[in-house]
Amino acid sequence: MKQEVNSPPPAPGVETLSEHQSMISIIVKKFFQNKLAVIGLFMLIIIISSAVFAPWLATHDPNAQTLVDRLASPGADNWLGADHLGRDIYSRILYAGQMSLWVGFAAMLSAITIGIAIGSIAGYFGGWVDAVLMRIVDIIISFPSIFLLITVISVFRPAPSMLIVVLGLLSWTTTARLVRSEFLSFKRREFVLAARTLGIPTRRIIFGHILPNAIGPVIVTATLAIGAFIIAESTLSFLGLGISPPTATWGNMLADSQDLTIFLTAWYYPFFPGLMIFITVLSFNFVGDGLRDALDPRVMEK
């Protein structure tokens, strides 16, 4: 006769597989109940897919110039018209999406990585470590970010990599403060105290026990940050401090159309890049709002 062996109960704060799957299903269901979030997700899928498959979707070489097609109206040959150098606007918008989205995602990853590292250390260790790190955060926040960003970009060459690094280094403070507050709350929970008692290494407690429980607000912040970075890149490019032509971004396409004659005779030239920035940022905001509601800790009670 076989002896039944009872499996040990899960450690405090550790979810079973069925509980984890149930929570994920509730989060997904809650997200898809938000119609604006679903619309935003659908639009982002289309926009990102269009940028990824730009070489196959583009009808022209994005940098090919033709004298005949200068400021040509939308038609069969140029679906969204042509710019002041005769370049196809539709093809350039597709390729510009690659660069604008790349800057947004890469800068977000840089800022989130730095913010999580600083916030985790400050929140977990507390004391003088927390005081020093938070004073650094306060100093960075005290500077007007747009002027500091313009100054740094003006000093260095405005290459995509430099723009990503600068945006990441100037934008991690919000994530750091958010993660710190979450760590201050979680580090006194029973499962963290139990992990310390068992002698689990500090690094494992931080990244294996506390951070997964605090990641919800970070995901929401990261989603909203992508839209903010796309606007920042577009603003710098519009001011001539962003990514330089002939590399296309939605921002420098708007910068190229800064002419009263173009606004009066070729409205489609600034309209379509501006529309792409508007739709993309709005979609990220919709998705961020949906994730914020879905990842609300009170979602399990409803």
Side-chain angles (χ1 to χ4, degrees):
M1 183 177 181
K2 294 183 179 179
Q3 184 179 1
E4 293 184 359
V5 179
N6 295 325
S7 58
V14 178
E15 299 174 347
T16 63
L17 180 60
S18 60
E19 290 174 341
H20 184 68
Q21 291 174 340
S22 175
M23 186 177 66
I24 291 178
S25 64
I26 292 174
I27 291 174
V28 172
K29 181 180 178 181
K30 188 74 174 178
F31 178 83
F32 280 96
Q33 286 177 348
N34 189 322
K35 293 181 174 59
L36 289 178
V38 174
I39 293 173
L41 180 62
F42 178 73
M43 294 303 300
L44 287 179
I45 291 174
I46 294 177
I47 293 169
I48 294 173
S49 299
S50 299
V52 171
F53 296 105
W56 293 274
L57 296 175
T59 57
H60 296 72
D61 181 343
N63 296 321
Q65 303 179 18
T66 56
L67 297 177
V68 178
D69 292 333
R70 286 185 176 180
L71 297 179
S73 301
D77 188 40
N78 303 105
W79 294 352
L80 301 182
D83 64 9
H84 63 299
L85 298 177
R87 298 172 296 190
D88 182 61
I89 294 177
Y90 166 73
S91 300
R92 286 184 63 77
I93 281 179
L94 292 177
Y95 279 91
Q98 290 182 339
M99 185 56 63
S100 294
L101 290 171
W102 163 246
V103 170
F105 276 101
M108 177 272 293
L109 288 175
S110 301
I112 292 298
T113 301
I114 298 172
I116 287 177
I118 299 297
S120 300
I121 295 172
Y124 184 81
F125 292 103
W128 68 268
V129 175
D130 180 30
V132 171
L133 291 178
M134 287 302 102
R135 297 299 76 75
I136 295 175
V137 169
D138 292 338
I139 291 172
I140 295 177
I141 292 177
S142 66
F143 286 101
S145 57
I146 185 62
F147 297 113
L148 185 59
L149 183 61
I150 291 174
T151 301
V152 174
I153 291 295
S154 300
V155 173
F156 299 97
R157 188 170 64 90
S161 57
M162 179 57 64
L163 185 60
I164 291 168
V165 169
V166 172
L167 287 173
L169 289 176
L170 297 179
S171 307
W172 55 270
T173 52
T174 301
T175 303
R177 299 181 78 170
L178 179 63
V179 172
R180 171 184 175 269
S181 66
E182 293 291 318
F183 266 68
L184 289 175
S185 173
F186 278 107
K187 74 176 184 178
R188 295 181 176 87
R189 300 284 182 89
E190 291 80 1
F191 69 94
V192 176
L193 297 177
R196 288 177 178 171
T197 304
L198 293 173
I200 296 176
T202 300
R203 182 179 61 182
R204 186 175 170 187
I205 294 176
I206 292 176
F207 296 105
H209 291 73
I210 303 180
L211 187 57
N213 289 282
I215 203 66
V218 177
I219 294 175
V220 177
T221 302
T223 305
L224 298 174
I226 298 174
F229 287 135
I230 290 175
I231 290 180
E233 180 277 321
S234 300
T235 302
L236 290 172
S237 296
F238 186 79
L239 296 174
L241 299 173
I243 299 172
S244 303
T247 303
T249 70
W250 294 328
N252 62 27
M253 289 182 70
L254 283 176
D256 289 340
S257 61
Q258 294 184 74
D259 186 277
L260 181 60
T261 303
I262 291 177
F263 273 97
L264 294 177
T265 61
W267 59 268
Y268 46 86
Y269 185 8
F271 175 76
F272 290 113
L275 181 65
M276 291 304 301
I277 295 173
F278 172 76
I279 293 176
T280 303
V281 174
L282 189 64
S283 297
F284 275 114
N285 289 339
F286 284 162
V287 172
D289 289 341
L291 288 174
R292 181 188 58 199
D293 295 339
L295 293 171
D296 192 311
R298 293 167 295 182
V299 71
M300 299 297 294
E301 302 174 5
K302 298 181 180 180

